Amino acid sequence: MSGILKIAMIAPPWFALPPKGYGGVEYMCSYLVDSLVDRGHQVTLLSSGENGTKARHVRTREVPQGERLGEPMPDVLHAAITRSIVDSLDVDVVHDHSLMGPLLAGERTVPTVVTLHEPVIGEYKEYFQLLGDTVRLVAISESQRSLAPEMNWYGTVHNGIDMNDFRGASRHSDWILFLGQCIPHKGLHVAIDSAREAGVGIRIAAKCGEPAELEYFESEIRPRLGDGVEWLGEVGGRRKKQLLAEASCLIFPIDWDEPFGMVMIEAMASGTPVVALDRGSVREVVRDSFSGIVCDKVSDLPEAIRRAAQLNAEDCRAVVAESFTSDLMAQKYENIYRSAMGEQRSFHL
């Protein structure tokens, strides 16, 4: 099969595409949608709020539901709204990134591809196992996929970005950057302690608004502020890209099985190396001693911060250009869509 594909892309209900600040899934969806359109396909995006992508847009909610992130009803209502919209569309395939939406896949005559954005463990794993062959699952790293190799996987597609969105600075500053969410498993307290031990300043650009984030901030982060530790809060857009380009390294001291980690490829695309703990997808994304330093234990981080300053910015960018571009991501999803469509047609003969 070849030719133009008609794709319904369902984003989660939490943030507009592209997001103004936090929103890794939404960034990934934005890059994928634009690359698919650039490749000649017809994409209808179903998402909340305004549309900043190249796709045709159907708005599911006037206002994105990010302030209610973690509550069940915004996702339930989003699934109910997208159900009737998808039924009215003439599409070849549905690509769903939401949590509740895949429950409706069994009703459709066209295949539903679902990208999993969380570690495939516990109830999350059980949920997608129960959906069985009504969905075609895509992993965003081999590490994520290895947690449940028996699932109905149709492929592994690393996330990608548009290299043109990220430019390196003429020179790096002497401070390091933490960019992410203010929660324990992202390791912000470890990042601060490691920066201090390495004798460098750290700037913290972190989402911090949910109750669990605020609790962690008050107990572990606020007492560590000052003395070379600068809290910036949540950032996005040009400010985020400027920070990524100017930092001497991005520190990524995670304490969980990270499925991918968009911020790592954003940093490398900016010519900035990544210093990370070896969990989840890190070794798939960061080329150790080339585009960053991968550490086995927390005590290795301070020395890795010092070593990272010697790595070459163009080497960092080369890793992204080779393996993590949005066009490469779109090519791989095209193959998955066509495979799913071919199987679906055979099934209905």
Side-chain angles (χ1 to χ4, degrees):
M1 289 184 292
S2 60
I4 295 172
L5 296 173
K6 294 177 287 186
I7 305 155
M9 189 77 64
I10 302 176
W14 311 115
F15 305 105
L17 271 68
K20 292 183 172 62
Y22 179 80
V25 176
E26 288 78 10
Y27 275 115
M28 174 266 184
C29 287
S30 298
Y31 284 122
L32 176 58
V33 163
D34 284 350
S35 290
L36 288 168
V37 172
D38 286 344
R39 295 176 65 81
H41 302 298
Q42 297 175 8
V43 183
T44 302
L45 172 65
L46 284 65
S47 67
S48 300
E50 298 292 331
N51 174 38
T53 76
K54 299 176 182 180
R56 172 184 176 238
H57 185 232
V58 180
R59 188 180 299 184
T60 58
R61 298 289 292 272
E62 286 296 316
V63 178
Q65 302 296 297
E67 292 185 359
R68 299 177 65 190
L69 187 63
E71 295 181 29
M73 282 310 299
D75 205 32
V76 172
L77 183 57
H78 182 66
I81 293 168
T82 58
R83 177 186 189 180
S84 60
I85 296 171
V86 170
D87 286 347
S88 71
L89 298 175
D90 175 23
V91 295
D92 300 310
V93 64
V94 175
H95 189 172
D96 201 334
H97 300 266
S98 70
L99 181 62
M100 300 289 183
L103 283 169
L104 306 174
E107 302 178 353
R108 300 183 183 124
T109 58
V110 298
T112 298
V113 172
V114 179
T115 299
L116 300 192
H117 295 277
E118 300 290 335
V120 190
I121 57 176
E123 291 181 332
Y124 187 78
K125 173 182 175 179
E126 183 180 3
Y127 169 54
F128 285 104
Q129 281 180 320
L130 290 169
L131 294 182
D133 61 4
T134 64
V135 291
R136 282 78 171 167
L137 302 179
V138 179
I140 54 177
S141 67
E142 293 297 339
S143 169
Q144 180 199 39
R145 184 168 174 167
S146 70
L147 296 173
E150 74 280 9
M151 301 276 275
N152 190 35
W153 298 112
Y154 264 59
T156 299
V157 182
H158 289 136
N159 292 339
I161 58 176
D162 184 345
M163 291 286 290
N164 294 322
D165 281 354
F166 297 88
R167 302 288 184 186
S170 56
R171 62 177 296 275
H172 288 298
S173 301
D174 56 2
W175 46 265
I176 70 172
L177 176 68
F178 177 94
L179 178 61
Q181 192 176 2
C182 186
I183 49 178
H185 68 249
K186 293 291 187 177
L188 176 51
H189 62 291
V190 173
I192 296 171
D193 294 346
S194 299
R196 283 212 168 106
E197 188 171 341
V200 301
I202 181 171
R203 293 185 178 180
I204 302 165
K207 172 183 172 293
C208 188
E210 297 176 53
E213 295 167 343
L214 293 168
E215 180 181 351
Y216 172 62
F217 176 83
E218 292 298 333
S219 65
E220 297 292 339
I221 306 308
R222 187 184 293 280
R224 287 176 163 88
L225 297 181
D227 188 23
V229 181
E230 185 177 356
W231 176 266
L232 303 176
E234 186 175 353
V235 301
R238 291 182 181 177
R239 179 58 173 150
K240 182 183 85 167
K241 293 170 185 176
Q242 178 185 18
L243 289 167
L244 283 167
E246 293 179 354
S248 64
C249 74
L250 174 84
I251 187 164
F252 197 69
I254 53 170
D255 187 26
W256 77 317
D257 290 321
E258 179 71 53
F260 185 79
M262 285 284 286
V263 67
M264 291 191 288
I265 60 173
E266 291 175 338
M268 293 188 298
S270 305
T272 299
V274 177
V275 170
L277 287 175
D278 186 11
R279 291 291 303 270
S281 65
V282 165
R283 284 195 184 273
E284 286 179 61
V285 177
V286 179
R287 195 176 301 174
D288 189 29
S289 300
F290 188 79
S291 65
I293 309 293
V294 181
C295 300
D296 292 325
K297 53 187 185 295
V298 169
S299 60
D300 294 336
L301 290 170
E303 177 59 26
I305 290 169
R306 291 186 282 263
R307 286 176 55 204
Q310 307 305 313
L311 298 180
N312 184 277
E314 288 307 311
D315 289 344
C316 295
R317 284 181 56 82
V319 169
V320 181
E322 179 183 329
S323 303
F324 303 113
T325 65
S326 53
D327 186 64
L328 180 59
M329 173 175 61
Q331 288 180 50
K332 292 180 177 179
Y333 274 112
E334 279 181 30
N335 293 334
I336 288 171
Y337 298 155
R338 296 187 194 282
S339 176
M341 289 161 54
E343 180 192 79
Q344 191 88 350
R345 287 171 183 168
S346 298
F347 181 78
H348 285 286
L349 289 177

